[in-house]
Amino acid sequence: MPASLAERLQSVESGIADAARASGRSPEEITTIVVTKFHPASLVRELYDLGVRNVGENRHQEAEAKAAALAGLTDLT
């Protein structure tokens, strides 16, 4: 059974934290930007509900559409 979105996000966050500590940095210094290329705005909303606030998009047109769909999420960057 595939891992849930929350489980996959936690796995990525743990890996980043481990890599930060291994390089002598604090995980809190790292800004993770989740790239949602080819994924719908609904996935961004799910990620938002899991605490993600920094999202990137590859194409301007897709970014505009997602920004409009997610306008109520005021602290999403």
Short mmCIF file of all heavy atoms in Angstrom, two decimals:
data_model
loop_
_atom_site.label_atom_id
_atom_site.label_comp_id
_atom_site.label_asym_id
_atom_site.label_seq_id
_atom_site.Cartn_x
_atom_site.Cartn_y
_atom_site.Cartn_z
N MET A 1 0.85 -1.18 0.00
CA MET A 1 0.00 0.00 0.00
C MET A 1 0.89 1.24 0.00
O MET A 1 1.81 1.35 0.81
CB MET A 1 -0.90 -0.04 1.23
CG MET A 1 -1.84 1.11 1.35
SD MET A 1 -2.90 0.80 2.76
CE MET A 1 -4.15 1.95 2.49
N PRO A 2 0.63 2.19 -0.88
CA PRO A 2 1.47 3.41 -0.94
C PRO A 2 1.35 4.23 0.33
O PRO A 2 0.32 4.24 1.00
CB PRO A 2 0.89 4.18 -2.12
CG PRO A 2 -0.02 3.26 -2.83
CD PRO A 2 -0.39 2.16 -1.89
N ALA A 3 2.44 4.91 0.65
CA ALA A 3 2.45 5.77 1.83
C ALA A 3 1.53 6.96 1.61
O ALA A 3 1.35 7.42 0.49
CB ALA A 3 3.87 6.24 2.10
N SER A 4 0.97 7.45 2.69
CA SER A 4 0.10 8.62 2.60
C SER A 4 0.93 9.87 2.31
O SER A 4 2.16 9.87 2.47
CB SER A 4 -0.66 8.81 3.91
OG SER A 4 0.22 9.26 4.93
N LEU A 5 0.26 10.91 1.90
CA LEU A 5 0.95 12.18 1.65
C LEU A 5 1.66 12.66 2.91
O LEU A 5 2.80 13.10 2.86
CB LEU A 5 -0.05 13.23 1.16
CG LEU A 5 0.52 14.60 0.81
CD1 LEU A 5 1.55 14.48 -0.32
CD2 LEU A 5 -0.61 15.55 0.41
N ALA A 6 1.01 12.53 4.05
CA ALA A 6 1.62 12.95 5.32
C ALA A 6 2.89 12.14 5.61
O ALA A 6 3.90 12.70 6.04
CB ALA A 6 0.62 12.80 6.46
N GLU A 7 2.84 10.85 5.34
CA GLU A 7 4.00 9.99 5.57
C GLU A 7 5.15 10.35 4.63
O GLU A 7 6.31 10.40 5.04
CB GLU A 7 3.64 8.52 5.41
CG GLU A 7 2.72 8.01 6.50
CD GLU A 7 2.12 6.64 6.17
OE1 GLU A 7 1.95 6.30 4.98
OE2 GLU A 7 1.83 5.92 7.14
N ARG A 8 4.82 10.60 3.37
CA ARG A 8 5.86 10.97 2.40
C ARG A 8 6.48 12.31 2.75
O ARG A 8 7.70 12.48 2.68
CB ARG A 8 5.29 10.98 0.99
CG ARG A 8 4.89 9.60 0.51
CD ARG A 8 4.39 9.59 -0.90
NE ARG A 8 3.45 10.69 -1.10
CZ ARG A 8 2.55 10.75 -2.04
NH1 ARG A 8 2.44 9.80 -2.92
NH2 ARG A 8 1.73 11.77 -2.15
N LEU A 9 5.65 13.27 3.16
CA LEU A 9 6.16 14.58 3.56
C LEU A 9 7.07 14.44 4.77
O LEU A 9 8.16 15.02 4.81
CB LEU A 9 5.00 15.53 3.86
CG LEU A 9 5.37 16.94 4.29
CD1 LEU A 9 6.18 17.66 3.21
CD2 LEU A 9 4.11 17.73 4.64
N GLN A 10 6.66 13.66 5.74
CA GLN A 10 7.48 13.45 6.95
C GLN A 10 8.81 12.80 6.59
O GLN A 10 9.86 13.17 7.12
CB GLN A 10 6.73 12.58 7.96
CG GLN A 10 7.53 12.27 9.21
CD GLN A 10 7.98 13.51 9.95
OE1 GLN A 10 7.20 14.44 10.13
NE2 GLN A 10 9.21 13.55 10.40
N SER A 11 8.80 11.87 5.65
CA SER A 11 10.03 11.22 5.22
C SER A 11 10.99 12.23 4.59
O SER A 11 12.20 12.23 4.88
CB SER A 11 9.70 10.10 4.24
OG SER A 11 10.87 9.51 3.73
N VAL A 12 10.46 13.09 3.72
CA VAL A 12 11.30 14.11 3.08
C VAL A 12 11.84 15.08 4.14
O VAL A 12 13.03 15.41 4.15
CB VAL A 12 10.51 14.87 1.99
CG1 VAL A 12 11.26 16.09 1.51
CG2 VAL A 12 10.20 13.94 0.83
N GLU A 13 10.97 15.52 5.05
CA GLU A 13 11.41 16.46 6.08
C GLU A 13 12.48 15.84 6.98
O GLU A 13 13.44 16.50 7.35
CB GLU A 13 10.21 16.92 6.92
CG GLU A 13 9.29 17.84 6.15
CD GLU A 13 8.00 18.15 6.88
OE1 GLU A 13 7.59 17.37 7.79
OE2 GLU A 13 7.38 19.19 6.55
N SER A 14 12.34 14.56 7.30
CA SER A 14 13.35 13.87 8.11
C SER A 14 14.68 13.79 7.39
O SER A 14 15.74 13.98 7.99
CB SER A 14 12.87 12.46 8.48
OG SER A 14 11.78 12.52 9.35
N GLY A 15 14.62 13.47 6.09
CA GLY A 15 15.85 13.39 5.29
C GLY A 15 16.56 14.73 5.21
O GLY A 15 17.79 14.81 5.31
N ILE A 16 15.80 15.80 5.06
CA ILE A 16 16.38 17.14 5.00
C ILE A 16 17.00 17.49 6.35
O ILE A 16 18.12 18.02 6.41
CB ILE A 16 15.32 18.17 4.58
CG1 ILE A 16 14.94 17.95 3.12
CG2 ILE A 16 15.81 19.60 4.81
CD1 ILE A 16 13.71 18.72 2.66
N ALA A 17 16.30 17.19 7.42
CA ALA A 17 16.83 17.48 8.76
C ALA A 17 18.11 16.69 9.02
O ALA A 17 19.09 17.23 9.54
CB ALA A 17 15.79 17.15 9.82
N ASP A 18 18.14 15.43 8.62
CA ASP A 18 19.35 14.60 8.79
C ASP A 18 20.51 15.18 7.98
O ASP A 18 21.64 15.26 8.47
CB ASP A 18 19.09 13.16 8.36
CG ASP A 18 18.16 12.41 9.29
OD1 ASP A 18 17.91 12.88 10.43
OD2 ASP A 18 17.65 11.34 8.87
N ALA A 19 20.24 15.58 6.75
CA ALA A 19 21.29 16.15 5.90
C ALA A 19 21.80 17.48 6.46
O ALA A 19 23.00 17.75 6.42
CB ALA A 19 20.76 16.35 4.47
N ALA A 20 20.89 18.27 6.99
CA ALA A 20 21.30 19.55 7.58
C ALA A 20 22.22 19.30 8.77
O ALA A 20 23.30 19.91 8.87
CB ALA A 20 20.07 20.35 8.02
N ARG A 21 21.82 18.42 9.66
CA ARG A 21 22.65 18.13 10.83
C ARG A 21 24.00 17.54 10.42
O ARG A 21 25.04 17.88 11.00
CB ARG A 21 21.91 17.20 11.78
CG ARG A 21 20.83 17.91 12.58
CD ARG A 21 20.25 17.02 13.68
NE ARG A 21 19.39 15.97 13.16
CZ ARG A 21 18.10 16.13 12.87
NH1 ARG A 21 17.52 17.29 13.06
NH2 ARG A 21 17.40 15.13 12.41
N ALA A 22 24.01 16.66 9.41
CA ALA A 22 25.25 16.05 8.94
C ALA A 22 26.22 17.08 8.38
O ALA A 22 27.43 16.88 8.41
CB ALA A 22 24.95 14.98 7.89
N SER A 23 25.68 18.19 7.88
CA SER A 23 26.55 19.24 7.33
C SER A 23 26.83 20.34 8.35
O SER A 23 27.39 21.38 8.00
CB SER A 23 25.93 19.84 6.07
OG SER A 23 24.75 20.55 6.39
N GLY A 24 26.41 20.12 9.59
CA GLY A 24 26.68 21.09 10.64
C GLY A 24 25.71 22.25 10.69
O GLY A 24 25.99 23.28 11.30
N ARG A 25 24.57 22.10 10.04
CA ARG A 25 23.56 23.17 10.03
C ARG A 25 22.36 22.75 10.86
O ARG A 25 22.09 21.57 11.05
CB ARG A 25 23.12 23.47 8.60
CG ARG A 25 24.24 24.04 7.76
CD ARG A 25 23.80 24.36 6.38
NE ARG A 25 22.82 25.45 6.39
CZ ARG A 25 22.15 25.85 5.32
NH1 ARG A 25 22.34 25.24 4.17
NH2 ARG A 25 21.29 26.84 5.39
N SER A 26 21.62 23.74 11.28
CA SER A 26 20.38 23.48 11.99
C SER A 26 19.25 23.28 10.97
O SER A 26 19.14 24.07 10.02
CB SER A 26 20.05 24.67 12.89
OG SER A 26 18.73 24.57 13.38
N PRO A 27 18.42 22.28 11.15
CA PRO A 27 17.29 22.09 10.23
C PRO A 27 16.39 23.33 10.14
O PRO A 27 15.78 23.56 9.11
CB PRO A 27 16.54 20.90 10.82
CG PRO A 27 17.56 20.15 11.59
CD PRO A 27 18.49 21.21 12.14
N GLU A 28 16.33 24.11 11.20
CA GLU A 28 15.50 25.31 11.20
C GLU A 28 16.02 26.39 10.24
O GLU A 28 15.29 27.30 9.87
CB GLU A 28 15.38 25.88 12.62
CG GLU A 28 14.53 25.03 13.55
CD GLU A 28 15.26 23.78 14.04
OE1 GLU A 28 16.51 23.77 14.15
OE2 GLU A 28 14.56 22.77 14.29
N GLU A 29 17.29 26.28 9.83
CA GLU A 29 17.86 27.22 8.86
C GLU A 29 17.39 26.95 7.44
O GLU A 29 17.56 27.79 6.57
CB GLU A 29 19.39 27.09 8.83
CG GLU A 29 20.13 27.52 10.06
CD GLU A 29 21.61 27.29 9.83
OE1 GLU A 29 22.19 27.95 8.94
OE2 GLU A 29 22.19 26.44 10.53
N ILE A 30 16.84 25.78 7.20
CA ILE A 30 16.51 25.33 5.86
C ILE A 30 15.06 25.70 5.52
O ILE A 30 14.14 25.43 6.29
CB ILE A 30 16.67 23.80 5.73
CG1 ILE A 30 18.05 23.34 6.21
CG2 ILE A 30 16.37 23.33 4.32
CD1 ILE A 30 19.20 23.89 5.43
N THR A 31 14.87 26.30 4.37
CA THR A 31 13.52 26.55 3.85
C THR A 31 13.27 25.53 2.75
O THR A 31 13.98 25.50 1.75
CB THR A 31 13.40 27.97 3.27
OG1 THR A 31 13.65 28.91 4.31
CG2 THR A 31 12.01 28.20 2.69
N THR A 32 12.29 24.70 2.97
CA THR A 32 11.91 23.71 1.98
C THR A 32 10.80 24.29 1.12
O THR A 32 9.80 24.78 1.64
CB THR A 32 11.43 22.41 2.65
OG1 THR A 32 12.48 21.92 3.50
CG2 THR A 32 11.07 21.36 1.62
N ILE A 33 10.98 24.23 -0.18
CA ILE A 33 9.96 24.69 -1.12
C ILE A 33 9.44 23.46 -1.86
O ILE A 33 10.19 22.78 -2.56
CB ILE A 33 10.54 25.72 -2.10
CG1 ILE A 33 11.08 26.92 -1.32
CG2 ILE A 33 9.48 26.13 -3.12
CD1 ILE A 33 11.84 27.92 -2.16
N VAL A 34 8.16 23.19 -1.70
CA VAL A 34 7.54 22.04 -2.34
C VAL A 34 7.12 22.47 -3.75
O VAL A 34 6.36 23.41 -3.92
CB VAL A 34 6.31 21.56 -1.53
CG1 VAL A 34 5.63 20.41 -2.25
CG2 VAL A 34 6.74 21.15 -0.13
N VAL A 35 7.63 21.77 -4.75
CA VAL A 35 7.31 22.09 -6.14
C VAL A 35 6.13 21.21 -6.56
O VAL A 35 6.17 20.00 -6.42
CB VAL A 35 8.53 21.86 -7.05
CG1 VAL A 35 8.19 22.13 -8.50
CG2 VAL A 35 9.69 22.75 -6.60
N THR A 36 5.10 21.87 -7.07
CA THR A 36 3.85 21.17 -7.38
C THR A 36 3.60 21.06 -8.89
O THR A 36 2.46 20.96 -9.32
CB THR A 36 2.66 21.87 -6.71
OG1 THR A 36 2.58 23.21 -7.20
CG2 THR A 36 2.81 21.87 -5.21
N LYS A 37 4.66 21.05 -9.64
CA LYS A 37 4.58 20.94 -11.10
C LYS A 37 3.70 19.75 -11.49
O LYS A 37 3.91 18.63 -11.03
CB LYS A 37 5.99 20.76 -11.64
CG LYS A 37 6.09 20.67 -13.13
CD LYS A 37 7.55 20.55 -13.55
CE LYS A 37 7.69 20.43 -15.04
NZ LYS A 37 9.09 20.27 -15.43
N PHE A 38 2.72 20.02 -12.35
CA PHE A 38 1.79 19.02 -12.88
C PHE A 38 0.83 18.45 -11.84
O PHE A 38 0.16 17.46 -12.10
CB PHE A 38 2.52 17.87 -13.59
CG PHE A 38 3.37 18.32 -14.73
CD1 PHE A 38 4.73 18.06 -14.74
CD2 PHE A 38 2.83 19.01 -15.80
CE1 PHE A 38 5.54 18.47 -15.80
CE2 PHE A 38 3.62 19.43 -16.86
CZ PHE A 38 4.97 19.16 -16.86
N HIS A 39 0.76 19.05 -10.66
CA HIS A 39 -0.18 18.58 -9.63
C HIS A 39 -1.26 19.62 -9.43
O HIS A 39 -1.00 20.82 -9.55
CB HIS A 39 0.55 18.29 -8.32
CG HIS A 39 1.49 17.14 -8.40
ND1 HIS A 39 1.05 15.83 -8.41
CD2 HIS A 39 2.82 17.09 -8.53
CE1 HIS A 39 2.10 15.04 -8.52
NE2 HIS A 39 3.19 15.78 -8.60
N PRO A 40 -2.47 19.20 -9.10
CA PRO A 40 -3.58 20.14 -8.98
C PRO A 40 -3.53 21.00 -7.71
O PRO A 40 -2.85 20.65 -6.74
CB PRO A 40 -4.81 19.22 -8.96
CG PRO A 40 -4.30 17.95 -8.37
CD PRO A 40 -2.87 17.82 -8.88
N ALA A 41 -4.30 22.06 -7.73
CA ALA A 41 -4.39 22.94 -6.56
C ALA A 41 -4.89 22.17 -5.34
O ALA A 41 -4.52 22.50 -4.21
CB ALA A 41 -5.31 24.12 -6.87
N SER A 42 -5.69 21.16 -5.55
CA SER A 42 -6.20 20.37 -4.41
C SER A 42 -5.05 19.72 -3.63
O SER A 42 -5.13 19.59 -2.41
CB SER A 42 -7.18 19.31 -4.89
OG SER A 42 -6.57 18.41 -5.80
N LEU A 43 -3.99 19.33 -4.32
CA LEU A 43 -2.84 18.77 -3.62
C LEU A 43 -2.14 19.85 -2.79
O LEU A 43 -1.70 19.58 -1.66
CB LEU A 43 -1.84 18.15 -4.60
CG LEU A 43 -0.59 17.57 -3.95
CD1 LEU A 43 -0.92 16.34 -3.11
CD2 LEU A 43 0.46 17.24 -4.98
N VAL A 44 -2.05 21.04 -3.33
CA VAL A 44 -1.45 22.15 -2.57
C VAL A 44 -2.26 22.39 -1.30
O VAL A 44 -1.70 22.61 -0.23
CB VAL A 44 -1.36 23.43 -3.43
CG1 VAL A 44 -0.79 24.58 -2.61
CG2 VAL A 44 -0.53 23.19 -4.68
N ARG A 45 -3.57 22.32 -1.41
CA ARG A 45 -4.43 22.51 -0.23
C ARG A 45 -4.16 21.41 0.80
O ARG A 45 -4.10 21.67 2.00
CB ARG A 45 -5.90 22.54 -0.64
CG ARG A 45 -6.83 22.94 0.50
CD ARG A 45 -8.25 23.15 0.03
NE ARG A 45 -8.37 24.24 -0.92
CZ ARG A 45 -8.42 25.53 -0.61
NH1 ARG A 45 -8.33 25.90 0.65
NH2 ARG A 45 -8.56 26.45 -1.53
N GLU A 46 -4.01 20.17 0.35
CA GLU A 46 -3.68 19.07 1.27
C GLU A 46 -2.34 19.32 1.95
O GLU A 46 -2.20 19.10 3.15
CB GLU A 46 -3.62 17.74 0.52
CG GLU A 46 -4.96 17.19 0.09
CD GLU A 46 -4.79 15.86 -0.62
OE1 GLU A 46 -4.23 14.92 -0.02
OE2 GLU A 46 -5.20 15.77 -1.80
N LEU A 47 -1.36 19.75 1.17
CA LEU A 47 -0.04 20.05 1.74
C LEU A 47 -0.14 21.20 2.74
O LEU A 47 0.50 21.17 3.79
CB LEU A 47 0.95 20.39 0.63
CG LEU A 47 1.38 19.21 -0.24
CD1 LEU A 47 2.04 19.71 -1.53
CD2 LEU A 47 2.31 18.30 0.54
N TYR A 48 -0.94 22.19 2.42
CA TYR A 48 -1.16 23.32 3.33
C TYR A 48 -1.72 22.82 4.66
O TYR A 48 -1.27 23.22 5.73
CB TYR A 48 -2.12 24.33 2.68
CG TYR A 48 -2.37 25.54 3.52
CD1 TYR A 48 -1.54 26.65 3.42
CD2 TYR A 48 -3.44 25.60 4.40
CE1 TYR A 48 -1.76 27.78 4.20
CE2 TYR A 48 -3.67 26.72 5.18
CZ TYR A 48 -2.83 27.81 5.07
OH TYR A 48 -3.05 28.91 5.85
N ASP A 49 -2.67 21.91 4.58
CA ASP A 49 -3.27 21.35 5.80
C ASP A 49 -2.24 20.57 6.62
O ASP A 49 -2.41 20.40 7.83
CB ASP A 49 -4.45 20.45 5.45
CG ASP A 49 -5.65 21.22 4.93
OD1 ASP A 49 -5.73 22.46 5.14
OD2 ASP A 49 -6.52 20.59 4.30
N LEU A 50 -1.16 20.12 5.97
CA LEU A 50 -0.08 19.40 6.65
C LEU A 50 1.03 20.34 7.13
O LEU A 50 2.04 19.89 7.65
CB LEU A 50 0.50 18.33 5.72
CG LEU A 50 -0.44 17.18 5.37
CD1 LEU A 50 0.18 16.31 4.29
CD2 LEU A 50 -0.77 16.35 6.62
N GLY A 51 0.85 21.64 6.91
CA GLY A 51 1.81 22.61 7.41
C GLY A 51 2.73 23.22 6.38
O GLY A 51 3.56 24.07 6.71
N VAL A 52 2.64 22.81 5.13
CA VAL A 52 3.49 23.36 4.08
C VAL A 52 3.03 24.78 3.76
O VAL A 52 1.84 25.02 3.57
CB VAL A 52 3.45 22.49 2.80
CG1 VAL A 52 4.16 23.15 1.64
CG2 VAL A 52 4.05 21.12 3.10
N ARG A 53 3.98 25.72 3.71
CA ARG A 53 3.64 27.11 3.39
C ARG A 53 4.42 27.65 2.19
O ARG A 53 4.06 28.66 1.63
CB ARG A 53 3.88 28.03 4.59
CG ARG A 53 2.98 27.72 5.78
CD ARG A 53 1.53 27.92 5.42
NE ARG A 53 0.62 27.71 6.53
CZ ARG A 53 0.02 26.57 6.81
NH1 ARG A 53 0.21 25.49 6.07
NH2 ARG A 53 -0.81 26.47 7.83
N ASN A 54 5.49 26.98 1.79
CA ASN A 54 6.32 27.43 0.67
C ASN A 54 6.16 26.47 -0.49
O ASN A 54 6.56 25.31 -0.41
CB ASN A 54 7.79 27.50 1.10
CG ASN A 54 7.99 28.46 2.24
OD1 ASN A 54 7.76 29.65 2.08
ND2 ASN A 54 8.38 27.95 3.39
N VAL A 55 5.57 26.99 -1.58
CA VAL A 55 5.24 26.16 -2.73
C VAL A 55 5.80 26.83 -3.98
O VAL A 55 5.72 28.05 -4.13
CB VAL A 55 3.71 26.00 -2.86
CG1 VAL A 55 3.34 25.18 -4.07
CG2 VAL A 55 3.15 25.36 -1.60
N GLY A 56 6.36 26.03 -4.86
CA GLY A 56 6.88 26.54 -6.12
C GLY A 56 6.18 25.89 -7.30
O GLY A 56 5.67 24.78 -7.21
N GLU A 57 6.15 26.62 -8.39
CA GLU A 57 5.53 26.11 -9.61
C GLU A 57 6.45 26.44 -10.77
O GLU A 57 7.09 27.49 -10.80
CB GLU A 57 4.15 26.76 -9.81
CG GLU A 57 3.40 26.31 -11.02
CD GLU A 57 3.18 24.81 -11.05
OE1 GLU A 57 2.60 24.25 -10.11
OE2 GLU A 57 3.60 24.20 -12.06
N ASN A 58 6.53 25.57 -11.74
CA ASN A 58 7.45 25.72 -12.87
C ASN A 58 6.93 26.67 -13.95
O ASN A 58 7.69 27.38 -14.57
CB ASN A 58 7.72 24.34 -13.48
CG ASN A 58 8.82 24.35 -14.48
OD1 ASN A 58 9.77 25.11 -14.34
ND2 ASN A 58 8.72 23.52 -15.49
N ARG A 59 5.63 26.67 -14.16
CA ARG A 59 5.05 27.46 -15.25
C ARG A 59 4.19 28.58 -14.70
O ARG A 59 3.32 28.37 -13.85
CB ARG A 59 4.22 26.56 -16.15
CG ARG A 59 5.10 25.53 -16.84
CD ARG A 59 4.32 24.88 -17.98
NE ARG A 59 5.24 24.10 -18.77
CZ ARG A 59 5.25 22.79 -18.83
NH1 ARG A 59 4.38 22.11 -18.13
NH2 ARG A 59 6.12 22.16 -19.60
N HIS A 60 4.40 29.78 -15.25
CA HIS A 60 3.67 30.96 -14.80
C HIS A 60 2.16 30.77 -14.90
O HIS A 60 1.42 31.12 -13.97
CB HIS A 60 4.13 32.19 -15.60
CG HIS A 60 3.46 33.44 -15.19
ND1 HIS A 60 3.72 34.05 -13.98
CD2 HIS A 60 2.52 34.19 -15.81
CE1 HIS A 60 2.97 35.14 -13.87
NE2 HIS A 60 2.24 35.24 -14.96
N GLN A 61 1.70 30.21 -16.01
CA GLN A 61 0.27 30.02 -16.20
C GLN A 61 -0.33 29.10 -15.13
O GLN A 61 -1.42 29.36 -14.62
CB GLN A 61 -0.04 29.42 -17.59
CG GLN A 61 0.46 30.23 -18.75
CD GLN A 61 1.88 29.84 -19.17
OE1 GLN A 61 2.73 29.52 -18.35
NE2 GLN A 61 2.13 29.88 -20.47
N GLU A 62 0.38 28.04 -14.81
CA GLU A 62 -0.10 27.13 -13.77
C GLU A 62 -0.06 27.80 -12.40
O GLU A 62 -0.96 27.60 -11.58
CB GLU A 62 0.70 25.84 -13.77
CG GLU A 62 0.40 24.95 -14.95
CD GLU A 62 1.01 23.57 -14.83
OE1 GLU A 62 1.06 23.04 -13.71
OE2 GLU A 62 1.44 23.04 -15.86
N ALA A 63 0.98 28.58 -12.16
CA ALA A 63 1.09 29.29 -10.88
C ALA A 63 -0.06 30.26 -10.70
O ALA A 63 -0.65 30.34 -9.61
CB ALA A 63 2.42 30.01 -10.79
N GLU A 64 -0.40 30.98 -11.75
CA GLU A 64 -1.52 31.93 -11.67
C GLU A 64 -2.84 31.22 -11.36
O GLU A 64 -3.61 31.67 -10.52
CB GLU A 64 -1.67 32.69 -12.99
CG GLU A 64 -0.69 33.81 -13.17
CD GLU A 64 -0.95 34.59 -14.44
OE1 GLU A 64 -1.31 34.00 -15.47
OE2 GLU A 64 -0.80 35.82 -14.37
N ALA A 65 -3.09 30.13 -12.05
CA ALA A 65 -4.33 29.39 -11.84
C ALA A 65 -4.40 28.83 -10.42
O ALA A 65 -5.44 28.91 -9.76
CB ALA A 65 -4.45 28.27 -12.86
N LYS A 66 -3.29 28.28 -9.94
CA LYS A 66 -3.28 27.73 -8.59
C LYS A 66 -3.41 28.84 -7.55
O LYS A 66 -4.11 28.68 -6.55
CB LYS A 66 -2.00 26.93 -8.34
CG LYS A 66 -2.02 25.59 -9.06
CD LYS A 66 -0.75 24.82 -8.82
CE LYS A 66 -0.73 23.57 -9.67
NZ LYS A 66 0.55 22.87 -9.57
N ALA A 67 -2.76 29.97 -7.78
CA ALA A 67 -2.86 31.10 -6.85
C ALA A 67 -4.30 31.57 -6.75
O ALA A 67 -4.79 31.86 -5.65
CB ALA A 67 -1.94 32.23 -7.29
N ALA A 68 -4.99 31.62 -7.87
CA ALA A 68 -6.40 32.04 -7.86
C ALA A 68 -7.25 31.02 -7.10
O ALA A 68 -8.12 31.40 -6.31
CB ALA A 68 -6.91 32.21 -9.29
N ALA A 69 -7.01 29.75 -7.32
CA ALA A 69 -7.78 28.69 -6.66
C ALA A 69 -7.52 28.63 -5.17
O ALA A 69 -8.36 28.17 -4.41
CB ALA A 69 -7.48 27.35 -7.30
N LEU A 70 -6.35 29.11 -4.75
CA LEU A 70 -5.94 29.01 -3.35
C LEU A 70 -5.85 30.38 -2.66
O LEU A 70 -5.20 30.52 -1.65
CB LEU A 70 -4.59 28.29 -3.27
CG LEU A 70 -4.58 26.88 -3.86
CD1 LEU A 70 -3.16 26.38 -4.04
CD2 LEU A 70 -5.40 25.93 -3.00
N ALA A 71 -6.54 31.36 -3.22
CA ALA A 71 -6.44 32.74 -2.74
C ALA A 71 -6.74 32.89 -1.24
O ALA A 71 -6.20 33.76 -0.59
CB ALA A 71 -7.36 33.65 -3.55
N GLY A 72 -7.54 32.04 -0.69
CA GLY A 72 -7.88 32.13 0.73
C GLY A 72 -6.76 31.71 1.67
O GLY A 72 -6.83 31.97 2.87
N LEU A 73 -5.73 31.09 1.15
CA LEU A 73 -4.60 30.64 1.97
C LEU A 73 -3.57 31.76 2.02
O LEU A 73 -2.55 31.72 1.33
CB LEU A 73 -4.01 29.34 1.41
CG LEU A 73 -5.00 28.21 1.16
CD1 LEU A 73 -4.29 27.00 0.60
CD2 LEU A 73 -5.75 27.85 2.43
N THR A 74 -3.82 32.75 2.84
CA THR A 74 -3.07 34.00 2.81
C THR A 74 -1.60 33.87 3.17
O THR A 74 -0.80 34.69 2.75
CB THR A 74 -3.72 35.04 3.72
OG1 THR A 74 -3.80 34.51 5.05
CG2 THR A 74 -5.11 35.40 3.22
N ASP A 75 -1.20 32.87 3.95
CA ASP A 75 0.21 32.76 4.32
C ASP A 75 0.96 31.75 3.46
O ASP A 75 2.08 31.37 3.76
CB ASP A 75 0.37 32.43 5.81
CG ASP A 75 -0.30 31.13 6.22
OD1 ASP A 75 -1.17 30.63 5.49
OD2 ASP A 75 0.05 30.63 7.28
N LEU A 76 0.37 31.36 2.35
CA LEU A 76 1.03 30.47 1.40
C LEU A 76 1.94 31.32 0.50
O LEU A 76 1.51 32.33 -0.04
CB LEU A 76 -0.02 29.76 0.55
CG LEU A 76 0.46 28.66 -0.39
CD1 LEU A 76 1.00 27.48 0.40
CD2 LEU A 76 -0.68 28.20 -1.27
N THR A 77 3.19 30.92 0.39
CA THR A 77 4.13 31.66 -0.44
C THR A 77 4.66 30.79 -1.56
O THR A 77 4.63 29.61 -1.50
CB THR A 77 5.33 32.21 0.37
OG1 THR A 77 6.03 31.13 0.97
CG2 THR A 77 4.85 33.18 1.42
#
